[in-house]
Amino acid sequence: MRGQLISIDDLTRGDIERILGRAESFAEVSGREIKKVPTLRGRTVINLFYEASTRTSSSFELAAKRLSADLLNVKAQGSAVDKGESLKDTVQTLSAYDPAAIVIRSPHVGAAQLVARWSAAAVINAGDGKREHPTQALLDLYTLRRRVGSLEGLKVWIVGDVLHSRVARSNILAFSRMGCEVTVCGPPTLIPREVETLGCQVRYSLEGMGEAHVVYALRMQLERMRGSFVPSLREYAARFQIDGRRLSPQQLLMHPGPVNRGVELAAEVIDSPQALIEQQVESGVVVRMAVLYELLAGGSPGDAARGVQPAEAATEPQPA
Ligand code: NCD
């Protein structure tokens, strides 16, 4: 993992284990009254969001603040982007502040990669179109591991609008890297061609979902749908909605949020103890702290072998 997190493919299983372990130690910090460590004091993190976000932007913000970084939030709306400034110009302008990291969310596939090319900062992909959302996948692994322990051999069904979901793509890669057996399920119009090559099986109905230890439901991404992919949301719900009848009591339920209540999930399962949805949100902060730490302060075993010194403060988290 070198200077950027664009895709789960940037990470080995060892990298993932190290980030999850680091997140555990930050969870301990988050339990304290003063939830701050000095690790990134004097360094600048820029959150550059070209798309709506509640969970991802707020948790990156909290993560940077809890590491004592100076944080700059730039939203497309209200910035010069509104006036037609290009991504490249925006990144070059913001580079004048010498950021240590840029967190970028964009509706365009490949945006994070471009930012990494244009900037000397560490770049974290917080969602690029329908391609990837690696920190979501990491926080999902973290949440699930906290609940069940080892992930090895777990059967995970990812259900819904796989075609438009960057979360699905990152999670197929992440769950399978950790030894899970992944199945994606949805109507044929919402399953991308050749998705199997990412390392999953494909099903076009919920039949057989009883085998899953974890059901990971996806939002119907209506804002990305050009044309009609399902006859109607009601028909989609009739065939694919996860409800109390379809989810058995020992299965766990996950969803990245925001949930369309009554479409992909019925109210009774959202609010059930099987649902990890709230814990997923909670995990967002410590996992994003761990990712910032890894990129800006941690160094990796590979670095040590090459004699590269971590930037600074590569110590265990300390109280501020
Ligand atoms: C996801 C996203 O934006 O990709 N949400 C999130 O980051 N928690 C999934 C979604 O919007 O459905």
Side-chain angles (χ1 to χ4, degrees):
M1 182 179 185
R2 301 285 300 158
Q4 59 185 47
L5 177 56
I6 309 293
S7 160
I8 286 293
D9 265 337
D10 295 336
L11 304 173
T12 63
R13 184 167 176 162
D15 291 329
I16 295 176
E17 303 269 7
R18 198 175 54 251
I19 292 168
L20 301 187
R22 183 77 62 192
E24 299 269 357
S25 65
F26 285 129
E28 190 271 311
V29 173
S30 298
R32 298 181 195 157
E33 198 179 322
I34 296 171
K35 307 182 191 315
K36 223 170 162 131
V37 290
T39 316
L40 299 184
R41 199 159 45 199
R43 304 181 77 186
T44 302
V45 174
I46 298 182
N47 258 349
L48 181 54
F49 276 64
Y50 284 81
E51 235 188 29
S53 170
T54 304
R55 294 156 193 75
T56 307
S57 66
S58 59
S59 59
F60 265 115
E61 178 167 350
L62 269 181
K65 286 178 171 167
R66 288 186 182 175
L67 292 169
S68 304
D70 293 325
L71 175 79
L72 207 57
N73 277 317
V74 182
K75 306 239 185 264
Q77 232 176 14
S79 75
V81 171
D82 255 358
K83 301 178 183 166
E85 190 169 51
S86 70
L87 179 61
K88 187 170 186 180
D89 288 339
T90 304
V91 168
Q92 278 170 353
T93 302
L94 293 172
S95 295
Y97 303 128
D98 191 21
I102 298 178
V103 179
I104 163 102
R105 166 167 289 193
S106 161
H108 302 295
V109 166
Q113 230 149 0
L114 287 174
V115 175
R117 200 181 300 159
W118 296 325
S119 167
V123 173
I124 302 173
N125 183 4
D128 64 328
K130 55 186 187 177
R131 172 88 69 80
E132 279 223 42
H133 191 357
T135 58
Q136 177 70 43
L138 290 171
L139 75 89
D140 290 332
L141 295 178
Y142 175 84
T143 307
L144 191 58
R145 201 173 77 152
R146 282 212 131 187
R147 178 67 167 251
V148 303
S150 167
L151 304 181
E152 191 70 53
L154 279 188
K155 293 190 165 66
V156 180
W157 274 50
I158 299 178
V159 179
D161 180 3
V162 180
L163 181 66
H164 299 101
S165 177
R166 52 197 174 206
V167 173
R169 219 182 138 77
S170 288
N171 275 14
I172 294 167
L173 295 171
F175 280 127
S176 46
R177 193 142 300 174
M178 299 307 283
C180 302
E181 274 177 48
V182 184
T183 299
V184 298
C185 173
T189 47
L190 292 178
I191 302 289
R193 247 183 290 155
E194 299 186 13
V195 69
E196 301 89 335
T197 57
L198 297 176
C200 60
Q201 297 182 34
V202 178
R203 298 291 189 91
Y204 299 110
S205 86
L206 292 183
E207 212 176 299
M209 194 180 78
E211 67 164 30
H213 299 102
V214 180
V215 176
Y216 194 111
L218 299 170
R219 186 172 66 87
M220 285 291 274
Q221 314 234 333
L222 301 170
E223 77 278 16
R224 296 195 198 290
M225 295 187 191
R226 311 250 179 282
S228 140
F229 287 83
V230 289
S232 70
L233 285 183
R234 193 200 288 200
E235 200 152 319
Y236 172 81
R239 292 190 54 210
F240 291 99
Q241 183 184 85
I242 310 299
D243 60 15
R245 203 164 36 90
R246 287 169 171 161
L247 193 72
S248 73
Q250 67 280 7
Q251 290 177 308
L252 292 172
L253 175 68
M254 302 181 82
H255 189 295
V259 175
N260 293 314
R261 275 181 185 255
V263 181
E264 66 268 5
L265 295 181
E268 74 260 17
V269 296
I270 300 173
D271 304 319
S272 76
Q274 295 164 260
L276 296 175
I277 302 169
E278 241 178 76
Q279 288 92 313
Q280 288 171 268
V281 177
E282 198 184 319
S283 303
V285 177
V286 290
V287 169
R288 289 173 171 128
M289 285 172 83
V291 168
L292 285 167
Y293 183 100
E294 176 80 14
L295 287 172
L296 301 183
S300 63
D303 289 343
R306 286 186 293 273
V308 178
Q309 292 303 310
E312 62 163 278
T315 50
E316 286 306 303
Q318 308 268 316

